[in-house]
Amino acid sequence: MKLHRIRFSISDLRTIPDDERPLLIALAFAINEITVLNKLVAISSHISSGPTWVVQAELAQAMILARTLFGKLSEFWALVQKGYLKSPLSSRYEGILPESACKSLASLKQHFGKKSLTNTIRNTMAFHFSLEHAGAEMPTELPGEELSIYMHPSVGNSLYQFAELLMNFSLYEKIAPTNPEKAAHAVFEELSKVVGDASDFGQWLIIEILARSLGDARLQALLDTVDVPTPPSYLSLSLPFYFEMPAPSPTYRV
């Protein structure tokens, strides 16, 4: 795998205007988090064919990561609004950004301009523990295996499955009542779309800020190629929930 690398100095960064440099750094920082979380969500969706309690745990893990990613996307949009849309940078770069970045920004505006699933999850499940959401109407019947607690001497291998199911059920009822599979599909479909738009717009804006400040010639001079030796195939990866933990140390308990 080959990567294109741009290596710049502190002097290069100082040539970026003071009203643009904070957005450049914050955008790059945000996209790093979105990229890592998105990969973890994708890998965690490779559910094993183990017994029910293993499948339940891995599904819960995938949803926990997805909720966190939704929350980060909501924070990313708040950053774009404050640092770009409500600042002089918007008019400065509006005619410079490529068409794909403009389309991604328009899509993000449409998504966040209405009551979105992203904000609902952010406000009730991702970065907040909502008593109102937890107290929503519960399903009339569920098998006992779905309302379980799996406990282990190591905290890292314990799961309160009943809470995951009830909180997700409350969310699914808002999306597609009586059809949890359809609701779950809608969650991950929306997540994929917003991640794509955020990444496309953010990456292009970062490059354009650098190019405008440093100049195309300087940017090309800073560009080279590096190799990543034998990266694993995405399809070969998984993220198990249960694994053997090391013995706890006197100062740190897992």
Side-chain angles (χ1 to χ4, degrees):
M1 178 188 289
K2 293 190 179 297
L3 303 176
H4 300 291
R5 177 174 61 178
I6 300 172
R7 287 195 294 177
F8 37 75
S9 66
I10 288 294
S11 297
D12 290 320
L13 286 176
R14 285 181 177 144
T15 65
I16 300 170
D18 291 342
D19 64 338
E20 296 187 14
R21 194 185 314 113
L23 178 62
L24 171 75
I25 296 169
L27 265 181
F29 185 76
I31 290 176
N32 284 343
E33 292 199 346
I34 289 170
T35 298
V36 170
L37 284 168
N38 189 48
K39 286 195 288 187
L40 288 173
V41 170
I43 294 168
S44 69
S45 69
H46 298 164
I47 306 299
S48 66
S49 56
T52 302
W53 45 93
V54 172
V55 173
Q56 286 177 335
E58 292 181 2
L59 286 171
Q61 180 172 251
M63 281 300 299
I64 290 166
L65 289 167
R67 293 196 301 264
T68 305
L69 180 50
F70 269 118
K72 289 295 183 180
L73 288 166
S74 182
E75 294 302 302
F76 170 84
W77 182 243
L79 170 65
V80 170
Q81 284 185 301
K82 181 178 181 180
Y84 181 74
L85 294 176
K86 296 178 180 178
S87 81
L89 275 68
S90 181
S91 57
R92 196 178 301 167
Y93 284 94
E94 188 176 12
I96 300 176
L97 289 173
E99 184 180 359
S100 69
C102 294
K103 286 183 177 178
S104 294
L105 179 58
S107 180
L108 289 169
K109 286 180 179 178
Q110 183 180 21
H111 176 77
F112 286 101
K114 58 186 179 183
K115 186 177 181 181
S116 68
L117 182 57
T118 305
N119 283 331
T120 298
I121 292 176
R122 189 261 184 206
N123 292 332
T124 61
M125 300 180 75
F127 296 156
H128 297 78
F129 301 114
S130 169
L131 291 173
E132 291 75 20
H133 187 81
E137 184 177 350
M138 291 191 294
T140 54
E141 289 186 26
L142 281 173
E145 196 165 74
E146 298 289 341
L147 296 173
S148 301
I149 297 175
Y150 300 105
M151 304 190 74
H152 186 268
S154 167
V155 177
N157 281 322
S158 296
L159 176 69
Y160 298 90
Q161 165 64 16
F162 77 96
E164 280 298 313
L165 186 136
L166 292 175
M167 290 291 274
N168 286 329
F169 180 86
S170 180
L171 172 66
Y172 293 164
E173 281 293 289
K174 296 176 181 177
I175 303 169
T178 73
N179 194 336
E181 287 188 8
K182 181 180 179 180
H185 179 75
V187 167
F188 284 98
E189 186 175 303
E190 180 163 327
L191 187 62
S192 177
K193 178 70 170 67
V194 181
V195 165
D197 288 335
S199 299
D200 186 59
F201 169 72
Q203 288 172 359
W204 272 115
L205 183 54
I206 288 169
I207 294 300
E208 293 301 337
I209 290 175
L210 290 172
R212 185 175 183 273
S213 298
L214 302 179
D216 290 334
R218 175 61 178 162
L219 205 55
Q220 286 297 320
L222 298 174
L223 185 66
D224 66 358
T225 304
V226 295
D227 290 316
V228 178
T230 59
S233 165
Y234 159 72
L235 294 175
S236 70
L237 299 174
S238 62
L239 189 62
F241 182 89
Y242 297 111
F243 49 84
E244 292 293 338
M245 307 290 274
S249 70
T251 57
Y252 177 72
R253 181 184 177 191
V254 179

